[in-house]
Amino acid sequence: MAQHFLLSAASRTLSLRSIYKAGEAAAYETFCKMRWPETDGEAVCPRCGHDETYSITTRRKFKCKGCAHQFSVTSGTIFASRKMDFVDLLAAICIIVNASKGVSMVQLSRDLDCQCKTAFVLAHKLREAMALEVQTGEVLNGHVEVDGAYFGGHVRPENRKEDRKDRRLKENQTGKRRVVVVLRERDGRTLPFVAKQEAEGVELAKENVSRTATLSADEASHWDLLHAGWSVDRVNHSQMYSDHGKHTNMAESYFSRLRRMVVGQHHHVSPQYLYQYANHAAWLEDNRRTDNGTLAHIMVSNAMDAPVSRNWKGYWQRAA
């Protein structure tokens, strides 16, 4: 039996020990090179694009020789106004990419020795950076599997049998139940969406799947509408999971990772932010054969390309 990639030495090219051993200066240099790869880490003014700057070493800032604008390596990125050291940011990225099914915020806060809400906001900012690779706006091609899975909205039954209510009725539900609809190319991209009903996946397919593609779906009746636009393979899961190549196993593999992430690590996910975790699981699925050192560099590069987060900058201050 072939060895799983995550068990091989090829998957381990970065460790927390190496990050902290290299120190703060090396971590800072990594962020500079990811922010300005075209100049090998030499600062470029984000305001006017001038590539000649003064270095203010005492504050780790730069001053543009053209427009006199002062900026740092994280200015205008999701790490804008950060307070954590660069070595801790790099360590947080290493921990998150190493966790194949996510990591709880309590554990991350203990590893970094910071408040839980600091780890919570940092992780969500990194998920926004992951979404840059997942939600690209490009349509899917080839053979695409479509499926949906419900998350959240659990209603705990009463202790006494006579006090229990029928949880299938709408009036006895919380209204927080959501479905994650996934469109996944075989050996390609994974594209998740959050909706209230699985049937909304038909319209999502119309918007995000090429008309030259072929589809696979299960026996749910709302997928019947897909036949009007595509050649669709159907498999009845009440009878079998695979029928001579007709299956949705790739979509189910994605849901397996996402469900273990939600149930096993985070335990509770707000429907407001379920899309963040869906994108996180999709990014992990699409990069499941990539070593952790490369994943960390991809994450830093995405974070340096991502704009200031409008959802998460000042999140706790807005709540207060």
Side-chain angles (χ1 to χ4, degrees):
M1 182 176 179
Q3 185 183 42
H4 193 283
F5 175 73
L6 293 181
L7 299 178
S8 67
S11 69
R12 305 187 303 273
T13 58
L14 181 68
S15 66
L16 284 175
R17 180 179 63 179
S18 63
I19 290 174
Y20 281 105
K21 186 177 180 179
E24 176 73 4
Y28 176 69
E29 184 179 355
T30 298
F31 276 84
C32 288
K33 288 184 177 181
M34 293 297 102
R35 177 70 188 273
W36 301 296
E38 64 280 355
T39 59
D40 195 30
E42 295 296 326
V44 177
C45 180
R47 178 176 290 179
C48 69
H50 198 65
D51 60 355
E52 294 186 9
T53 61
Y54 302 102
S55 180
I56 307 174
T57 56
T58 55
R59 294 189 295 157
R60 276 203 177 128
K61 283 194 171 186
F62 305 96
K63 184 175 181 179
C64 178
K65 290 184 179 181
C67 64
H69 174 60
Q70 292 189 16
F71 60 95
S72 70
V73 67
T74 57
S75 294
T77 72
I78 61 170
F79 291 135
S81 304
R82 56 97 204 163
K83 295 181 181 179
M84 296 180 70
D85 292 336
F86 287 99
V87 68
D88 289 330
L89 289 176
L90 196 56
I93 291 173
C94 178
I95 292 171
I96 288 175
V97 301
N98 280 345
S100 59
K101 294 180 177 65
V103 60
S104 73
M105 296 304 97
V106 171
Q107 180 178 336
L108 183 61
S109 67
R110 289 180 175 181
D111 290 339
L112 299 177
D113 190 21
C114 65
Q115 293 188 48
C116 185
K117 58 185 181 182
T118 300
F120 179 80
V121 171
L122 175 60
H124 274 297
K125 287 181 177 180
L126 292 175
R127 292 186 184 105
E128 284 193 358
M130 295 177 190
L132 295 178
E133 286 189 62
V134 177
Q135 303 289 344
T136 62
E138 299 178 7
V139 297
L140 303 180
N141 288 286
H143 193 86
V144 180
E145 298 180 9
V146 55
D147 202 359
Y150 284 87
F151 293 84
H154 174 72
V155 178
R156 180 179 296 178
E158 297 291 341
N159 178 45
R160 299 175 62 86
K161 183 177 180 179
E162 56 268 23
D163 296 332
R164 295 174 188 170
K165 301 176 181 178
D166 188 349
R167 293 180 290 173
R168 296 171 295 180
L169 300 178
K170 187 174 182 180
E171 59 267 22
N172 296 329
Q173 297 176 0
T174 63
K176 296 181 179 181
R177 190 171 175 82
R178 295 292 185 272
V179 61
V180 176
V181 177
V182 68
L183 305 168
R184 185 170 188 182
E185 296 174 336
R186 288 188 182 169
D187 301 321
R189 291 176 51 217
T190 306
L191 189 58
F193 299 93
V194 176
K196 288 191 175 181
Q197 299 293 332
E198 189 181 33
E200 296 178 38
V202 176
E203 292 300 320
L204 293 172
K206 291 179 180 179
E207 297 174 3
N208 297 281
V209 179
S210 171
R211 291 294 180 172
T212 62
T214 56
L215 298 181
S216 286
D218 59 25
E219 74 283 2
S221 60
H222 46 258
W223 300 131
D224 294 344
L225 298 175
L226 295 175
H227 290 273
W230 295 273
S231 172
V232 186
D233 293 336
R234 305 291 292 275
V235 57
N236 190 336
H237 285 167
S238 64
Q239 298 178 2
M240 64 191 72
Y241 293 108
S242 178
D243 182 15
H244 299 89
K246 300 177 182 179
H247 62 80
T248 57
N249 291 347
M250 297 297 292
E252 296 291 353
S253 176
Y254 164 76
F255 287 131
S256 176
R257 186 187 296 267
L258 179 58
R259 198 169 295 283
R260 282 163 174 75
M261 178 186 292
V262 172
V263 176
Q265 291 291 338
H266 303 293
H267 304 315
H268 168 75
V269 171
S270 168
Q272 182 181 3
Y273 298 123
L274 178 58
Y275 74 97
Q276 293 267 61
Y277 299 93
N279 287 331
H280 185 178
W283 188 82
L284 290 173
E285 275 289 295
D286 291 347
N287 293 283
R288 63 192 182 280
R289 296 290 180 180
T290 306
D291 62 272
N292 62 347
T294 302
L295 288 179
H297 279 81
I298 291 173
M299 181 75 75
V300 175
S301 179
N302 289 348
M304 293 293 96
D305 288 338
V308 176
S309 174
R310 297 305 173 190
N311 292 326
W312 296 102
K313 184 181 179 182
Y315 175 81
W316 295 104
Q317 291 85 339
R318 290 200 306 274

